[in-house]
Amino acid sequence: MKKFLSLLLALLMVVSVCVGLVACNPSEEDPGKTETPNKPNENEKDPNEPNKPQEPVRIELKFPEEYNFSDNGTAASFHILQWSVDQEDQAGTAWIPWEEGDVSMDDGDLISKQILERNSVAEYKYGVEITAEYKGVNAGYVDRVKSDHMTSANEIQLLTIRSLGAWELVDSEYLTDMNVYSDQNILHTEQPWWVQDAVASYTLGESLYVCATEMLLRDKGATTAMYFNPSIAEDHGLDDFYAMVEDGTWTWEAMLEAAETVGSSTDGNDLMDSVEDMWGVQGSDDDTHMLYNALGFLYAHIDEDGFVVYDLGETDESITILIDIHEDFHYADWNTNRIDNKLVGGEDVEDIFTIDRALFKTASCVKTAVTKLRNMNTDYGILPMPKLTEEQENYSSLVWVHHDCVLGIPAATANPEMSAVILEVLSYEGYYEVTPVLYDTILYGRAAKTAEAKRSLEIIFETRSYDPGQYWDDPAGLQDKLLRLCNEGTSDIQSLIAQYIGQTEEEIKKVNEFVEKKYDEE
């Protein structure tokens, strides 16, 4: 009897362990599912902690066959060409605080460590050796791509591309249609390690030549935001901006009212011209596009057939909003941008916010907090750009094309299937292993110093937005003229559009003729 009971007890223990293992290990997920279950003890978390996104359950990455690209034990070369800034053929500039593919970054930084580990997974499992080089966007980047294409050198397997220059590579047919490998179940563009708004915005016809995935870091850093000084807000009796963001009342009018309340001459000459004055906003010309997007507008959209439709001027409201941005914001007495980034005595406007002399600072990149603000002596807060009205459903945080990054597979690469497989693996591993660390350690840790700021930053990343009108139009055309208009002290949007709309229509026509040509070839 004792022996029987002992056997029965042992059996029950085995069953209990097995049940526990089943409960702790989710069943194999279908690649089409992206469900995220609640964490254990979710209701017992510290109420002072921000409501950070839950870590996703890892979906199994499925390929149609087993891949290994080594040749008799020798790893295949997987070389990434990365765009760098202007004349600099190197990493680590102020524009680019992180590099996506570099494998020589063992500098003690946690992000560098995660990138190295991500790359190691791809190298070990698939028999490749990942290397990287840099070319300045104005110092030979396109020539490097063209040379590899024309000579069939096949040295480059993957490109990181400044999105502002993507069309030149697409139009020259230097890039592979990645949807070919989506159809072959190698690239899973519907999965969360592909940025879904980017997939929609970069699709031309039925083709996808460039896109953003979770392999990338610079696209996160290129997300727009607004910073504020909590001490100045409190001193002037302003409402809680974080509460306004949460309840949907952080609007254009609310932001203007707060900036006007703070902006005042405090140096005794009744003029807004000195670092001794108190400014409402430390602004820049980038704000034109950032605010236009935040207030609910796009310069263009992609229709259901994959053609680019230019929207500026199609409604009177789109013109009115741009005029308001200039007259009510750029040229307000309390905005430093109206004095062309210099104050009396030549002081640099960049110093105004960091020395506690401005309520708000607009930023074309979230990375501003990482590269410029983290050493401030006082705390700062972070907000999404404001909505137009409370009725606008969501905030909108533009991914800024001047700093943004997309990926492309060279058309000349000797093994495009290898390029697709490794791109997918790096994106997949990046989604689970790099991006969470980027948010938690770099952004949530350095760019935001309070639970409320972290929640606000979370909203910014949840509402990231791409505008097709910014990268499928000529970057030196109407888009740039609208951007620079505020430096000319005028808000004559109608005349500017009348002068350049013909050029814009021609550029969009070229893109759509390209789409039509691809349809005809199918």
Side-chain angles (χ1 to χ4, degrees):
M1 186 65 180
K2 289 182 179 179
K3 185 175 182 180
F4 171 77
L5 290 174
S6 297
L7 289 172
L8 180 60
L9 180 59
L11 179 61
L12 289 173
M13 291 176 66
V14 170
V15 171
S16 176
V17 170
C18 291
V19 170
L21 288 173
V22 170
C24 293
N25 291 278
S27 60
E28 183 179 292
E29 293 284 339
D30 179 76
K33 294 182 180 180
T34 59
E35 296 178 358
T36 305
N38 292 329
K39 292 181 178 180
N41 301 319
E42 184 69 13
N43 295 327
E44 298 178 14
K45 67 181 182 180
D46 186 343
N48 295 318
E49 283 295 308
N51 184 26
K52 293 195 300 184
Q54 297 178 1
E55 294 183 5
V57 172
R58 185 180 281 260
I59 301 168
E60 181 183 359
L61 181 60
K62 295 180 180 179
F63 288 131
E65 59 181 90
E66 293 294 325
Y67 290 105
N68 189 289
F69 300 101
S70 63
D71 183 10
N72 293 322
T74 300
S77 173
F78 192 86
H79 193 59
I80 304 173
L81 177 64
Q82 301 186 124
W83 75 269
S84 189
V85 178
D86 297 329
Q87 306 300 317
E88 299 293 331
D89 293 343
Q90 61 183 23
T93 70
W95 270 25
I96 309 171
W98 314 290
E99 292 295 338
E100 291 86 3
D102 197 347
V103 293
S104 58
M105 294 173 51
D106 194 4
D107 54 7
D109 185 85
L110 185 55
I111 295 299
S112 301
K113 177 177 179 292
Q114 293 301 112
I115 292 172
L116 287 168
E117 290 185 1
R118 177 204 66 187
N119 290 355
S120 296
V121 170
E123 290 176 324
Y124 178 75
K125 286 187 176 181
Y126 298 95
V128 299
E129 180 182 5
I130 299 174
T131 57
E133 69 173 290
Y134 303 90
K135 279 293 179 184
V137 289
N138 297 318
Y141 180 91
V142 173
D143 289 342
R144 176 74 173 94
V145 177
K146 181 178 179 180
S147 174
D148 196 64
H149 183 90
M150 300 301 291
T151 63
S152 300
N154 301 321
E155 293 176 344
I156 305 169
Q157 282 69 51
L158 187 64
L159 302 169
T160 73
I161 306 163
R162 188 186 185 192
S163 60
L164 195 64
W167 168 240
E168 181 179 3
L169 297 180
V170 174
D171 186 38
S172 300
E173 302 199 25
Y174 291 157
L175 301 175
T176 295
D177 177 8
M178 292 186 286
N179 275 345
V180 171
Y181 299 98
S182 178
D183 293 341
Q184 295 177 13
N185 203 31
I186 294 175
L187 299 178
H188 303 90
T189 57
E190 78 288 353
Q191 289 298 331
W193 48 91
W194 286 75
V195 180
Q196 293 306 305
D197 194 41
V199 172
S201 298
Y202 280 107
T203 294
L204 293 177
E206 296 181 348
S207 299
L208 186 67
Y209 296 95
V210 295
C211 198
T213 79
E214 294 302 321
M215 172 187 164
L216 295 171
L217 303 179
R218 278 180 280 184
D219 65 324
K220 283 75 171 174
T223 306
T224 57
M226 177 173 276
Y227 298 95
F228 75 97
N229 188 307
S231 296
I232 294 176
E234 183 177 355
D235 290 345
H236 287 78
L238 299 176
D239 292 336
D240 183 344
F241 296 136
Y242 288 132
M244 295 172 71
V245 170
E246 286 286 1
D247 63 23
T249 59
W250 174 237
T251 64
W252 169 243
E253 291 298 333
M255 184 270 291
L256 294 177
E257 182 179 346
E260 184 175 5
T261 298
V262 170
S264 61
S265 176
T266 56
D267 64 355
N269 66 359
D270 294 328
L271 297 174
M272 296 292 292
D273 62 358
S274 166
V275 293
E276 301 301 323
D277 294 325
M278 185 60 72
W279 297 85
V281 172
Q282 178 191 313
S284 74
D285 51 11
D286 292 352
D287 299 339
T288 300
H289 293 340
M290 293 162 53
L291 286 167
Y292 187 72
N293 179 270
L295 301 180
F297 295 86
L298 296 174
Y299 290 116
H301 71 276
I302 306 296
D303 71 14
E304 60 183 10
D305 296 315
F307 292 97
V308 183
V309 180
Y310 201 72
D311 296 316
L312 178 61
E314 290 299 309
T315 65
D316 292 339
E317 190 178 17
S318 66
I319 305 298
T320 300
I321 287 297
L322 281 172
I323 293 173
D324 289 347
I325 289 171
H326 284 78
E327 294 184 350
D328 298 341
F329 184 79
H330 282 306
Y331 305 141
D333 287 343
W334 40 257
N335 192 331
T336 63
N337 192 52
R338 68 181 178 82
I339 49 179
D340 198 22
N341 292 325
K342 291 294 179 182
L343 302 177
V344 171
E347 294 96 342
D348 194 333
V349 169
E350 286 288 330
D351 294 333
I352 296 295
F353 185 81
T354 58
I355 61 172
D356 303 322
R357 303 307 296 175
L359 172 63
F360 295 121
K361 173 182 172 61
T362 55
S364 57
C365 297
V366 165
K367 71 170 181 57
T368 295
V370 178
T371 57
K372 294 183 179 181
L373 302 183
R374 64 184 176 189
N375 294 323
M376 281 182 64
N377 292 326
T378 57
D379 286 342
Y380 59 86
I382 185 169
L383 304 166
M385 301 297 283
K387 299 189 297 183
L388 179 59
T389 66
E390 293 181 29
E391 286 68 39
Q392 183 175 322
E393 184 176 357
N394 295 312
Y395 296 98
S396 185
S397 305
L398 182 67
V399 180
W400 184 227
V401 294
H402 285 270
H403 299 239
D404 185 26
C405 192
V406 289
L407 294 160
I409 296 175
T413 187
N415 191 343
E417 186 177 58
M418 178 179 72
S419 294
V421 169
I422 302 304
L423 165 58
E424 183 73 357
V425 172
L426 294 177
S427 302
Y428 172 83
E429 293 294 333
Y431 177 64
Y432 291 107
E433 302 298 338
V434 181
T435 301
V437 175
L438 175 72
Y439 286 0
D440 290 346
T441 304
I442 302 297
L443 299 181
Y444 285 127
R446 297 179 186 172
K449 299 181 179 181
T450 66
E452 293 82 6
K454 292 174 182 178
R455 171 56 186 153
S456 190
L457 189 57
E458 179 184 322
I459 291 172
I460 290 169
F461 282 108
E462 287 172 352
T463 58
R464 298 171 75 224
S465 171
Y466 291 79
D467 186 342
Q470 292 195 333
Y471 39 80
W472 296 134
D473 186 14
D474 179 4
L478 180 56
Q479 305 303 307
D480 189 65
K481 301 300 185 295
L482 286 167
L483 189 71
R484 311 303 174 191
L485 187 65
C486 65
N487 297 323
E488 300 175 14
T490 177
S491 56
D492 190 359
I493 305 294
Q494 293 96 328
S495 294
L496 193 68
I497 292 176
Q499 184 177 356
Y500 291 99
I501 192 64
Q503 175 186 345
T504 295
E505 289 172 345
E506 282 300 311
E507 293 299 321
I508 298 300
K509 181 181 178 181
K510 290 179 185 178
V511 177
N512 287 333
E513 285 177 347
F514 179 90
V515 174
E516 190 68 49
K517 175 186 173 183
K518 294 302 177 181
Y519 273 126
D520 292 341
E521 290 175 355
E522 293 176 354

